[in-house]
Amino acid sequence: MMTRCISKLTQTILLILILSSSQAYGAFINVSGYVGLLSGGVYNSSANATDDYLATEFPVALDFVVRPGDLVALHLDLRLSHHDEPPLFGEDFGPLDSEADFHFFNDLTPRVSEVYVEASTKLCLINAGRRARNVGLGMFFNDASEPFSATQTLFDGISCEVNTGTVKQLGFTLGVDKLREGDPNNNGDDLQQFFASISFDERKTNSIHQLSKQVTLYFAYLNSASPHDFGEQQDKYLDIHTGLYWKNLSWESEALLRMGQASGSSWESYGGRADKLASVGSFAFYTTFKFTFPAPDGEPEDSDDHDHGSDNVVEHGEALDETDEDYEIALEYIYSPGDEHGYYKGTNRFLNEAKRSTVITTVPLNVNFKPALLLFNMRTEQLDVDGIYSGDRIVNAHVFAGSYSYTHSVYGTLQGKVIGALMDKEMPDYVYSYFYYNPLNGENSPDDYYDFGSEVLYPVGYKGRYLGTEVDLTYEYSFSESFTFSVTGGYLFTGNALNVGQSFENTYGFELGVLFTL
């Protein structure tokens, strides 16, 4: 099983690193992770246009760390699921040996999702193998470290991480990855990624009463062969994560800029054309502001460690002393661009895909990046429109959210949250006119158009851009440090954009979670 998880090149690198390590006097094994139970349901979903949903998941994630020596560690991540998030472009992309396989709930099949060696050298900290990656606040790359996360963004490669250990805590990383693209049996179309990041973080050294700044820049350059003989194509992206922290206030933001060229069937889901070389120019943004009271009190932990400063961060805005109760107010805004050309689909002479643009502006956000229980979390792809709407991730949307949380050391945490969403791009007038005279009814669909089902009369967005407003209420209680129970209920006042069926009803749902952490 494990030999299928990494490429032959990576296996060679792992062996060299282990053999070149310092003498081992014994092996130490550390196990962490969680075992959970998650059960939930969604009813009257998408105004009765899709089936109600009820399912239970048993997520298991176990992280094994084997240390044969002082400077080398072997990391294995074992999961009972098969949720590999395509790291960059869509369903045709993934780690070298994996097939594109998507399920909303796991099939209880054990698999090793990560396997890599971490070696500390005089130059840098080297990581080689298959590893999940998280960038910024996780809106694009997400390592699924949070319990009940759906997917992991996995890469096969090697990286070198350096931390100066200076007062300003400046660090940088260089690395290279190789990704499968298209046919898993064809190595000729694999994609190479070169990336670099630089980070600056004052939280490690400043008192919580001082204004602290944090900035991380992540840049990647990718090249691959076009599947349609357009030659070599390049894609570039820049992720910027910033943070300001002072006493009980925190303000964090993440911006993603993508540029370059692209072609292939996976870009169809972004609103592009499969048979044309398109230019990529898009920008996504997320910002969150938090106010916690009473104001926390604390000093940064000793940063004189040897793990390149990855763990000893004092979280500003979170209480460090043992108080009985805390309150938090949070505001969020998310922007994910879309592409109105996604409404053109199939071979119908009025709506055929040839009318799509050769400029791609869509940026679907990571499946784990969920602002609400119901919005962008419907567990269905039935109403999906390329570059316009997805039932299970944020795309083509402006999302606004506000929440209030009350935490008591004995009675647990209660949170109320309000989320509103508006489509970014609307239906073109030409497409609107077509469906005005030719509503869908399951039998009257244009040739090779989206299969929405027999209850759908119009695509999402026909009656407007307003997706809806949702109210969520969550209660979480910890019986111990390792045993937590949570329950969430949500009610979505469905907007006119989702009024696509014979009837127009609101949506409600619930979710129960039990979590054992190791």
Side-chain angles (χ1 to χ4, degrees), residues 199-229:
S199 61
F200 170 81
D201 195 344
E202 291 182 323
R203 292 176 295 172
K204 299 176 181 295
T205 55
N206 285 3
S207 165
I208 204 168
H209 300 288
Q210 297 175 284
L211 177 64
S212 298
K213 300 174 289 294
Q214 181 270 328
V215 179
T216 300
L217 304 178
Y218 183 94
F219 176 78
Y221 170 83
L222 305 97
N223 63 349
S224 63
S226 168
H228 296 287
D229 298 325

Side-chain angles (χ1 to χ4, degrees), residues 295-477:
D297 185 20
E299 297 295 329
E301 299 180 27
D302 182 11
S303 61
D304 186 19
D305 55 9
H306 302 284
D307 64 354
H308 295 259
S310 59
D311 298 320
N312 292 341
V313 177
V314 174
E315 295 293 345
H316 290 243
E318 295 184 3
L320 301 182
D321 55 346
E322 295 183 1
T323 57
D324 287 335
E325 52 188 11
D326 295 293
Y327 309 84
E328 181 184 89
I329 297 175
L331 300 174
E332 299 176 83
Y333 169 70
I334 306 168
Y335 168 61
S336 173
D339 193 330
E340 66 272 17
H341 296 92
Y343 284 110
Y344 295 106
K345 180 78 169 180
T347 58
N348 179 278
R349 64 190 183 97
F350 298 105
L351 300 176
N352 66 81
E353 198 168 305
K355 297 181 182 294
R356 292 191 176 189
S357 173
T358 56
V359 178
I360 297 175
T361 58
T362 307
V363 181
L365 303 188
N366 193 280
V367 174
N368 294 332
F369 197 70
K370 304 288 191 184
L373 176 66
L374 301 172
L375 277 170
F376 312 105
N377 196 27
M378 292 290 188
R379 268 83 168 186
T380 177
E381 300 177 356
Q382 184 175 336
L383 300 182
D384 287 9
V385 177
D386 297 341
I388 290 295
Y389 176 78
S390 171
D392 204 52
R393 69 171 66 202
I394 302 175
V395 63
N396 187 43
H398 299 269
V399 183
F400 306 86
S403 64
Y404 173 81
S405 302
Y406 168 73
T407 300
H408 194 280
S409 57
V410 176
Y411 302 115
T413 299
L414 182 66
Q415 182 193 67
K417 189 172 186 180
V418 179
I419 310 99
L422 185 73
M423 291 174 58
D424 176 40
K425 301 293 176 58
E426 61 184 351
M427 180 180 289
D429 292 339
Y430 184 85
V431 178
Y432 178 86
S433 298
Y434 175 86
F435 287 110
Y436 180 83
Y437 294 103
N438 303 276
L440 302 168
N441 61 10
E443 299 178 356
N444 192 36
S445 298
D447 295 338
D448 299 323
Y449 204 65
Y450 300 101
D451 184 13
F452 294 131
S454 60
E455 298 296 322
V456 175
L457 296 179
Y458 312 102
V460 169
Y462 173 81
K463 294 189 177 181
R465 297 171 54 201
Y466 175 50
L467 291 166
T469 298
E470 179 176 338
V471 179
D472 291 345
L473 185 64
T474 300
Y475 174 71
E476 182 178 293
Y477 181 79

Side-chain angles (χ1 to χ4, degrees), residues 35-38 56-60 80-81 105-106 108:
V35 177
L37 170 67
L38 185 67
T56 298
E57 180 181 6
F58 300 95
V60 176
L80 294 183
S81 62
F105 293 95
N106 56 326
L108 300 182

